[in-house]
Amino acid sequence: MTIIDITPDTDWQALVAEHLAAGDRVSLRFETPSMTPQEMADSLGVSRPSIMRWIGEGKITSQRHGNRHRIPNSEVERFRSWYIQDVVDASADDALAELFGDTK
């Protein structure tokens, strides 16, 4: 079996017709681009257990495939934006104190 990845601009109907005309068996499968928890952890620079904890807490939405989690790329980007802002907010007071001294 040959797997062909297509892009949104691919004329998939013509591609299917071409393979059918050649006598090939054709099966279509649509997937949402996604990452495993380990891939997401690597992309954020955190541990896989942290990703799994955040999934359990509902901070990250994942899709289950059997006993495996897949995280849609759109969710990875949403969480990345939130996570970066959270880190910035958490470190802002420390950075200001280091620059200007303890102002409290």
Side-chain angles (χ1 to χ4, degrees):
M1 177 195 311
T2 301
I3 296 175
I4 301 170
D5 289 325
I6 61 171
T7 62
D9 60 330
T10 302
D11 184 359
W12 64 270
Q13 292 170 323
L15 192 58
V16 167
E18 176 185 325
H19 282 273
L20 289 173
D24 297 334
R25 185 174 145 226
V26 176
S27 176
L28 299 177
R29 182 177 65 190
F30 298 92
E31 295 179 353
T32 301
S34 61
M35 291 186 174
T36 65
Q38 184 63 58
E39 290 169 336
M40 183 174 181
D42 293 343
S43 77
L44 290 174
V46 299
S47 68
R48 182 184 178 281
S50 291
I51 298 296
M52 297 307 295
R53 184 178 69 250
W54 292 328
I55 289 172
E57 293 171 355
K59 292 180 179 177
I60 297 173
T61 303
S62 70
Q63 299 167 344
R64 299 270 322 233
H65 295 275
N67 65 348
R68 307 278 185 211
H69 289 272
R70 297 293 294 187
I71 304 148
N73 287 357
S74 58
E75 177 65 4
V76 172
E77 291 309 314
R78 182 204 63 79
F79 185 81
R80 182 188 318 277
S81 295
W82 174 84
Y83 181 71
I84 289 170
Q85 189 61 52
D86 189 54
V87 169
V88 167
D89 292 345
S91 60
D93 288 340
D94 291 339
L96 289 173
E98 190 169 318
L99 287 171
F100 303 110
D102 191 6
T103 58
K104 293 181 183 177

